[in-house]
Amino acid sequence: MTTANVPTAAAVLRNLVVTLLCTTGHETLAQTARLLTSEIVTNVYRHTATRVVHVEVTVDERQTWVYVHDDKPRYRPMPPEVADGEGGLGLFIVDECADAWGITHYGAQVPTSKAVWFRLVEGGRGSS
């Protein structure tokens, strides 16, 4: 799923992820996937100048992986410390809610893109 990197990208992509999970029998993961997809896509919008955002979802019987791709490999997000104030909690939320998450760089020695990904498991941290 791909869309332009615009203010509405998070809403469009999170709704597509939720629809996919609900139609493949993963309703218990849908709301957590909605939140985490929204947080990561919003980070792409706020912290990169990439023109498009691509979301790849892999679903199997027990779990799902969501990869949010952009073409700006230099931004290496890490979960922030919890601090007072607004903003800056997106990756902290991902870290707290996902069963696993990470960053994958593409392009070997000179990365040309990256994906921030998360995994949710039925019965795991992100099940409702």
Side-chain angles (χ1 to χ4, degrees), residues 7-116:
T8 57
V12 169
L13 293 168
R14 72 179 174 232
N15 290 339
L16 290 170
V17 169
V18 167
T19 300
L20 177 63
L21 293 179
C22 288
T23 60
T24 57
H26 292 288
E27 294 87 359
T28 63
L29 303 178
Q31 292 311 309
T32 302
R34 172 191 301 273
L35 173 62
L36 302 187
T37 301
S38 185
E39 292 295 338
I40 297 171
V41 173
T42 298
N43 280 351
V44 171
Y45 176 72
R46 288 183 177 166
H47 301 293
T48 76
T50 190
R51 295 178 56 120
V52 297
V53 183
H54 176 75
V55 173
E56 177 183 352
V57 182
T58 302
V59 178
D60 73 17
E61 193 173 289
R62 215 177 144 254
Q63 58 196 343
T64 189
W65 291 264
V66 176
Y67 286 78
V68 179
H69 297 267
D70 67 72
D71 64 1
K72 300 300 178 197
R74 287 176 291 245
Y75 172 65
R76 292 186 48 95
M78 300 303 284
E81 296 294 324
V82 177
D84 293 333
E86 292 183 36
L89 295 177
L91 290 174
F92 177 79
I93 293 168
V94 173
D95 190 53
E96 288 295 308
C97 296
D99 292 291
W101 76 277
I103 305 162
T104 302
H105 286 90
Y106 302 96
Q109 295 292 337
V110 181
T112 56
S113 64
K114 73 172 179 310
V116 177

